Amino acid sequence: MGINATIMNTATGQPIQKMSFGRMPKPWASFNLATGELVTAERIDVEKPAPGKFAATVNVWVTVKPKG
């Protein structure tokens, strides 16, 4: 069973994309976004599941380089 996570931008606090991992990513893990940009996880938040639910919400916070 994989981990479904939302990739969040640390600068804006907005979600960038959804991503699936084979197992829980580490805070120093590097991966490519859908745009092809290589990013490193800075912080990983695991929230409590909603009552009656099994899956917890996972947010992976990354810093995206500004375009330009």
Side-chain angles (χ1 to χ4, degrees):
M1 182 174 136
I3 302 293
N4 295 321
T6 303
I7 310 301
M8 304 289 286
N9 187 336
T10 56
T12 63
Q14 298 296 316
I16 299 172
Q17 71 180 44
K18 298 271 187 189
M19 195 167 205
S20 181
F21 294 93
R23 59 187 211 179
M24 184 62 80
K26 301 292 183 188
W28 55 84
S30 295
F31 52 90
N32 288 319
L33 297 176
T35 60
E37 182 176 358
L38 180 67
V39 294
T40 302
E42 294 182 13
R43 184 175 87 217
I44 300 182
D45 295 335
V46 181
E47 299 175 8
K48 242 168 82 170
K53 299 291 181 179
F54 175 73
T57 303
V58 178
N59 294 324
V60 179
W61 294 83
V62 300
T63 299
V64 179
K65 294 178 186 171
K67 296 178 181 175

